[in-house]
Amino acid sequence: MVAKAAGKANLTSVLLASWICPGAGHVLLGKRYRAALYFAAVGGLFWLGLALQAYFVFPNTPGETFALFKFLGAFASGGHFFIAYILQLGMGNLDTFKAALTNEVGNTCLYTAGILNVLVLVDAWDLHSGRKK
Amino acid sequence: MGLLLVGFLFSLLVSGVFAFVERGDSRERLRYFIKAFGCFFLSILLAGWLMRQLPF
């Protein structure tokens, strides 16, 4: 059933699914264990970051260097970013976040989650195109 | 939550993803995972120790 689905899944749906829910693209490609690892790794790092007082930076946030890259780093986490955005987590008075001792470690985890999700997307692309097994 | 535990989790999760992305064979993957995990965790310990020596 999964192998049949893997044959039918097109690249756009694989990449979109992978971005919105890390690992979902790999489920479409029939790589369930890999999908579980990617989901746990990206989600784990993202929510660990927020638990450690990470905050979201938007391109128009004043006083932030590389604001666009920071935004893209968090935005690459896909669905996790949107859930946190809807729940208003990692937003508010930035000075409160910056005062926390764990803030920088949290930010590192948050951006790493996004960058890992980009790697997951590339991996899904490689699997779909047959460059990888 | 202790920052050492955070460093451990970070190393574990990132090395796991790297191993699956970089290696295809399961034996090679395990070796790569152990190597990457060791490098990450030791680097975190070393960087933490070095930063403790800084006067600011």
Side-chain angles (χ1 to χ4, degrees):
Chain A
M1 173 97 178
V2 174
K4 199 175 175 185
K8 284 187 177 178
N10 68 22
L11 182 62
T12 313
S13 60
V14 166
L15 293 181
L16 201 64
S18 216
W19 176 60
I20 290 171
C21 179
H26 287 77
V27 172
L28 291 176
L29 294 167
K31 304 277 184 190
R32 282 175 291 179
Y33 295 116
R34 205 180 279 212
L37 172 76
Y38 291 159
F39 182 78
V42 175
L45 280 172
F46 184 88
W47 294 106
L48 182 67
L50 283 182
L52 293 170
Q53 302 294 310
Y55 59 89
F56 292 124
V57 174
F58 295 94
N60 57 354
T61 305
E64 284 288 337
T65 46
F66 304 114
L68 178 66
F69 294 114
K70 288 177 178 177
F71 168 71
L72 289 175
F75 190 68
S77 299
H80 295 292
F81 175 83
F82 294 117
I83 292 169
Y85 185 82
I86 290 165
L87 296 175
Q88 294 283 300
L89 298 171
M91 280 177 270
N93 185 6
L94 295 190
D95 291 332
T96 318
F97 288 103
K98 286 176 184 172
L101 279 175
T102 55
N103 168 252
E104 287 180 353
V105 178
N107 282 339
T108 305
C109 290
L110 188 81
Y111 303 135
T112 307
I115 294 162
L116 277 188
N117 201 24
V118 175
L119 272 181
V120 170
L121 282 175
V122 173
D123 190 56
W125 193 343
D126 283 346
L127 283 169
H128 186 274
S129 62
R131 283 192 292 266
K132 231 184 219 182
K133 285 187 179 177
Chain B
M1 189 185 289
L3 288 180
L4 194 66
L5 179 63
V6 174
F8 181 83
L9 277 174
F10 181 93
S11 310
L12 196 75
L13 294 172
V14 175
S15 314
V17 173
F18 276 15
F20 269 83
V21 168
E22 291 292 325
R23 295 286 183 270
D25 177 53
S26 51
R27 200 178 161 83
E28 281 281 299
R29 202 175 273 162
L30 182 66
R31 284 179 63 183
Y32 189 88
F33 169 75
I34 293 168
K35 236 190 253 182
F37 176 77
C39 289
F40 268 118
F41 197 58
L42 287 177
S43 305
I44 286 169
L45 291 179
L46 183 69
W49 179 78
L50 282 173
M51 279 190 276
R52 269 181 76 102
Q53 313 304 318
L54 295 175
F56 46 89

Short mmCIF file of all heavy atoms in Angstrom, two decimals, chain A residues 18-53:
data_model
loop_
_atom_site.label_atom_id
_atom_site.label_comp_id
_atom_site.label_asym_id
_atom_site.label_seq_id
_atom_site.Cartn_x
_atom_site.Cartn_y
_atom_site.Cartn_z
N SER A 18 6.27 17.57 3.48
CA SER A 18 7.48 17.53 4.30
C SER A 18 7.72 18.85 5.03
O SER A 18 8.21 18.85 6.14
CB SER A 18 8.67 17.21 3.40
OG SER A 18 9.57 16.40 4.06
N TRP A 19 7.37 19.94 4.37
CA TRP A 19 7.57 21.24 5.00
C TRP A 19 6.52 21.49 6.10
O TRP A 19 6.86 21.90 7.21
CB TRP A 19 7.51 22.36 3.96
CG TRP A 19 7.63 23.72 4.56
CD1 TRP A 19 8.68 24.21 5.29
CD2 TRP A 19 6.66 24.76 4.51
NE1 TRP A 19 8.41 25.49 5.69
CE2 TRP A 19 7.19 25.85 5.24
CE3 TRP A 19 5.40 24.89 3.93
CZ2 TRP A 19 6.48 27.05 5.38
CZ3 TRP A 19 4.71 26.08 4.06
CH2 TRP A 19 5.26 27.14 4.79
N ILE A 20 5.27 21.19 5.77
CA ILE A 20 4.20 21.45 6.74
C ILE A 20 4.33 20.53 7.95
O ILE A 20 4.22 20.96 9.09
CB ILE A 20 2.81 21.30 6.07
CG1 ILE A 20 2.62 22.47 5.09
CG2 ILE A 20 1.70 21.30 7.10
CD1 ILE A 20 1.41 22.35 4.21
N CYS A 21 4.57 19.25 7.72
CA CYS A 21 4.74 18.31 8.82
C CYS A 21 6.03 17.52 8.56
O CYS A 21 6.01 16.59 7.75
CB CYS A 21 3.53 17.38 8.92
SG CYS A 21 3.69 16.19 10.23
N PRO A 22 7.14 17.91 9.21
CA PRO A 22 8.42 17.24 8.92
C PRO A 22 8.30 15.72 9.00
O PRO A 22 7.80 15.19 9.99
CB PRO A 22 9.34 17.78 10.03
CG PRO A 22 8.76 19.09 10.39
CD PRO A 22 7.29 18.94 10.23
N GLY A 23 8.70 15.05 7.95
CA GLY A 23 8.62 13.59 7.91
C GLY A 23 7.43 13.09 7.10
O GLY A 23 7.42 11.95 6.66
N ALA A 24 6.42 13.94 6.89
CA ALA A 24 5.22 13.49 6.17
C ALA A 24 5.55 13.14 4.72
O ALA A 24 4.98 12.20 4.15
CB ALA A 24 4.14 14.58 6.20
N GLY A 25 6.50 13.86 4.14
CA GLY A 25 6.92 13.55 2.76
C GLY A 25 7.54 12.17 2.68
O GLY A 25 7.34 11.45 1.70
N HIS A 26 8.26 11.79 3.71
CA HIS A 26 8.89 10.46 3.73
C HIS A 26 7.85 9.36 3.93
O HIS A 26 8.04 8.26 3.44
CB HIS A 26 9.96 10.40 4.81
CG HIS A 26 11.20 11.17 4.46
ND1 HIS A 26 11.26 12.54 4.56
CD2 HIS A 26 12.39 10.76 3.97
CE1 HIS A 26 12.45 12.94 4.15
NE2 HIS A 26 13.15 11.89 3.79
N VAL A 27 6.77 9.68 4.63
CA VAL A 27 5.66 8.71 4.76
C VAL A 27 5.08 8.45 3.37
O VAL A 27 4.82 7.30 2.99
CB VAL A 27 4.57 9.22 5.74
CG1 VAL A 27 3.35 8.32 5.72
CG2 VAL A 27 5.12 9.31 7.16
N LEU A 28 4.90 9.54 2.59
CA LEU A 28 4.37 9.39 1.23
C LEU A 28 5.31 8.55 0.35
O LEU A 28 4.87 7.89 -0.59
CB LEU A 28 4.16 10.76 0.58
CG LEU A 28 3.04 11.64 1.14
CD1 LEU A 28 3.04 12.99 0.46
CD2 LEU A 28 1.69 10.96 0.98
N LEU A 29 6.61 8.61 0.69
CA LEU A 29 7.60 7.85 -0.09
C LEU A 29 7.83 6.45 0.48
O LEU A 29 8.69 5.71 0.00
CB LEU A 29 8.92 8.62 -0.14
CG LEU A 29 8.88 9.95 -0.89
CD1 LEU A 29 10.13 10.76 -0.61
CD2 LEU A 29 8.72 9.72 -2.38
N GLY A 30 7.10 6.12 1.55
CA GLY A 30 7.19 4.78 2.13
C GLY A 30 8.34 4.58 3.10
O GLY A 30 8.69 3.45 3.43
N LYS A 31 8.93 5.68 3.58
CA LYS A 31 10.05 5.59 4.55
C LYS A 31 9.53 6.00 5.93
O LYS A 31 9.75 7.12 6.38
CB LYS A 31 11.19 6.51 4.11
CG LYS A 31 11.70 6.26 2.72
CD LYS A 31 12.70 5.13 2.73
CE LYS A 31 13.30 4.91 1.36
NZ LYS A 31 14.08 3.70 1.28
N ARG A 32 8.85 5.06 6.58
CA ARG A 32 8.15 5.42 7.81
C ARG A 32 9.08 5.65 9.00
O ARG A 32 8.87 6.55 9.79
CB ARG A 32 7.10 4.36 8.15
CG ARG A 32 5.86 4.51 7.30
CD ARG A 32 4.90 3.40 7.55
NE ARG A 32 5.45 2.14 7.02
CZ ARG A 32 4.83 0.97 7.10
NH1 ARG A 32 3.68 0.89 7.70
NH2 ARG A 32 5.37 -0.11 6.59
N TYR A 33 10.12 4.81 9.14
CA TYR A 33 11.03 4.97 10.29
C TYR A 33 11.82 6.26 10.19
O TYR A 33 12.02 6.98 11.16
CB TYR A 33 11.97 3.76 10.40
CG TYR A 33 11.22 2.48 10.71
CD1 TYR A 33 11.20 1.42 9.80
CD2 TYR A 33 10.51 2.34 11.89
CE1 TYR A 33 10.49 0.27 10.07
CE2 TYR A 33 9.80 1.20 12.18
CZ TYR A 33 9.79 0.15 11.27
OH TYR A 33 9.09 -0.99 11.54
N ARG A 34 12.25 6.53 8.99
CA ARG A 34 12.99 7.77 8.74
C ARG A 34 12.08 8.97 9.02
O ARG A 34 12.51 9.96 9.62
CB ARG A 34 13.42 7.79 7.27
CG ARG A 34 14.63 8.63 7.00
CD ARG A 34 14.98 8.60 5.57
NE ARG A 34 15.71 7.41 5.17
CZ ARG A 34 16.61 7.41 4.21
NH1 ARG A 34 16.87 8.50 3.53
NH2 ARG A 34 17.25 6.31 3.89
N ALA A 35 10.81 8.85 8.61
CA ALA A 35 9.85 9.92 8.83
C ALA A 35 9.67 10.18 10.33
O ALA A 35 9.62 11.33 10.77
CB ALA A 35 8.50 9.55 8.21
N ALA A 36 9.58 9.09 11.11
CA ALA A 36 9.40 9.24 12.57
C ALA A 36 10.60 9.95 13.18
O ALA A 36 10.43 10.83 14.04
CB ALA A 36 9.21 7.87 13.20
N LEU A 37 11.79 9.60 12.73
CA LEU A 37 13.00 10.25 13.26
C LEU A 37 13.01 11.73 12.92
O LEU A 37 13.28 12.58 13.78
CB LEU A 37 14.26 9.58 12.71
CG LEU A 37 15.55 10.32 13.06
CD1 LEU A 37 15.95 10.08 14.51
CD2 LEU A 37 16.68 9.95 12.14
N TYR A 38 12.69 12.05 11.67
CA TYR A 38 12.71 13.46 11.25
C TYR A 38 11.65 14.27 11.99
O TYR A 38 11.90 15.41 12.39
CB TYR A 38 12.48 13.57 9.73
CG TYR A 38 13.62 13.04 8.90
CD1 TYR A 38 13.43 12.66 7.58
CD2 TYR A 38 14.90 12.92 9.43
CE1 TYR A 38 14.48 12.17 6.81
CE2 TYR A 38 15.95 12.43 8.67
CZ TYR A 38 15.73 12.05 7.36
OH TYR A 38 16.77 11.56 6.61
N PHE A 39 10.48 13.67 12.17
CA PHE A 39 9.41 14.36 12.89
C PHE A 39 9.85 14.65 14.33
O PHE A 39 9.67 15.76 14.84
CB PHE A 39 8.13 13.52 12.88
CG PHE A 39 6.98 14.19 13.55
CD1 PHE A 39 6.26 15.18 12.90
CD2 PHE A 39 6.60 13.84 14.84
CE1 PHE A 39 5.20 15.82 13.53
CE2 PHE A 39 5.55 14.47 15.47
CZ PHE A 39 4.84 15.46 14.81
N ALA A 40 10.43 13.63 14.97
CA ALA A 40 10.87 13.78 16.37
C ALA A 40 12.00 14.80 16.48
O ALA A 40 12.01 15.62 17.40
CB ALA A 40 11.31 12.43 16.92
N ALA A 41 12.93 14.76 15.53
CA ALA A 41 14.10 15.65 15.62
C ALA A 41 13.70 17.11 15.39
O ALA A 41 14.06 17.98 16.20
CB ALA A 41 15.16 15.22 14.59
N VAL A 42 12.96 17.37 14.32
CA VAL A 42 12.59 18.77 14.02
C VAL A 42 11.63 19.30 15.08
O VAL A 42 11.83 20.39 15.65
CB VAL A 42 11.98 18.89 12.60
CG1 VAL A 42 11.50 20.31 12.34
CG2 VAL A 42 13.01 18.50 11.55
N GLY A 43 10.59 18.52 15.38
CA GLY A 43 9.62 18.94 16.39
C GLY A 43 10.25 19.07 17.76
O GLY A 43 10.01 20.05 18.48
N GLY A 44 11.08 18.11 18.13
CA GLY A 44 11.74 18.14 19.43
C GLY A 44 12.59 19.38 19.61
O GLY A 44 12.49 20.07 20.61
N LEU A 45 13.42 19.67 18.60
CA LEU A 45 14.30 20.84 18.71
C LEU A 45 13.49 22.15 18.70
O LEU A 45 13.81 23.08 19.43
CB LEU A 45 15.31 20.86 17.55
CG LEU A 45 16.52 19.95 17.74
CD1 LEU A 45 17.35 19.89 16.47
CD2 LEU A 45 17.38 20.41 18.89
N PHE A 46 12.44 22.19 17.90
CA PHE A 46 11.63 23.41 17.81
C PHE A 46 10.98 23.72 19.15
O PHE A 46 11.11 24.83 19.68
CB PHE A 46 10.56 23.24 16.72
CG PHE A 46 9.73 24.47 16.48
CD1 PHE A 46 10.15 25.42 15.57
CD2 PHE A 46 8.55 24.67 17.17
CE1 PHE A 46 9.39 26.56 15.36
CE2 PHE A 46 7.79 25.80 16.96
CZ PHE A 46 8.20 26.75 16.05
N TRP A 47 10.31 22.71 19.73
CA TRP A 47 9.58 22.97 20.98
C TRP A 47 10.52 23.08 22.17
O TRP A 47 10.22 23.77 23.14
CB TRP A 47 8.50 21.90 21.19
CG TRP A 47 7.45 22.00 20.12
CD1 TRP A 47 7.26 21.18 19.07
CD2 TRP A 47 6.46 23.05 19.98
NE1 TRP A 47 6.23 21.64 18.27
CE2 TRP A 47 5.73 22.77 18.81
CE3 TRP A 47 6.14 24.19 20.72
CZ2 TRP A 47 4.68 23.58 18.37
CZ3 TRP A 47 5.10 25.00 20.28
CH2 TRP A 47 4.39 24.70 19.12
N LEU A 48 11.66 22.39 22.09
CA LEU A 48 12.68 22.55 23.12
C LEU A 48 13.18 24.00 23.11
O LEU A 48 13.34 24.62 24.17
CB LEU A 48 13.85 21.58 22.87
CG LEU A 48 15.00 21.60 23.87
CD1 LEU A 48 14.54 21.09 25.22
CD2 LEU A 48 16.15 20.74 23.38
N GLY A 49 13.38 24.53 21.93
CA GLY A 49 13.81 25.92 21.79
C GLY A 49 12.80 26.88 22.41
O GLY A 49 13.17 27.78 23.18
N LEU A 50 11.53 26.67 22.11
CA LEU A 50 10.52 27.56 22.67
C LEU A 50 10.43 27.42 24.19
O LEU A 50 10.20 28.39 24.90
CB LEU A 50 9.16 27.30 22.03
CG LEU A 50 8.96 27.88 20.63
CD1 LEU A 50 7.55 27.58 20.13
CD2 LEU A 50 9.18 29.39 20.61
N ALA A 51 10.61 26.18 24.68
CA ALA A 51 10.60 25.96 26.13
C ALA A 51 11.76 26.68 26.80
O ALA A 51 11.68 27.03 27.98
CB ALA A 51 10.65 24.47 26.43
N LEU A 52 12.84 26.89 26.04
CA LEU A 52 14.03 27.57 26.58
C LEU A 52 14.01 29.07 26.27
O LEU A 52 15.05 29.69 26.14
CB LEU A 52 15.29 26.92 26.03
CG LEU A 52 15.54 25.48 26.49
CD1 LEU A 52 16.68 24.85 25.71
CD2 LEU A 52 15.83 25.43 27.97
N GLN A 53 12.82 29.61 26.12
CA GLN A 53 12.64 31.07 25.96
C GLN A 53 13.17 31.63 24.64
O GLN A 53 13.63 32.77 24.60
CB GLN A 53 13.28 31.84 27.13
CG GLN A 53 12.76 31.47 28.50
CD GLN A 53 11.30 31.84 28.69
OE1 GLN A 53 10.91 32.96 28.41
NE2 GLN A 53 10.49 30.90 29.13
#
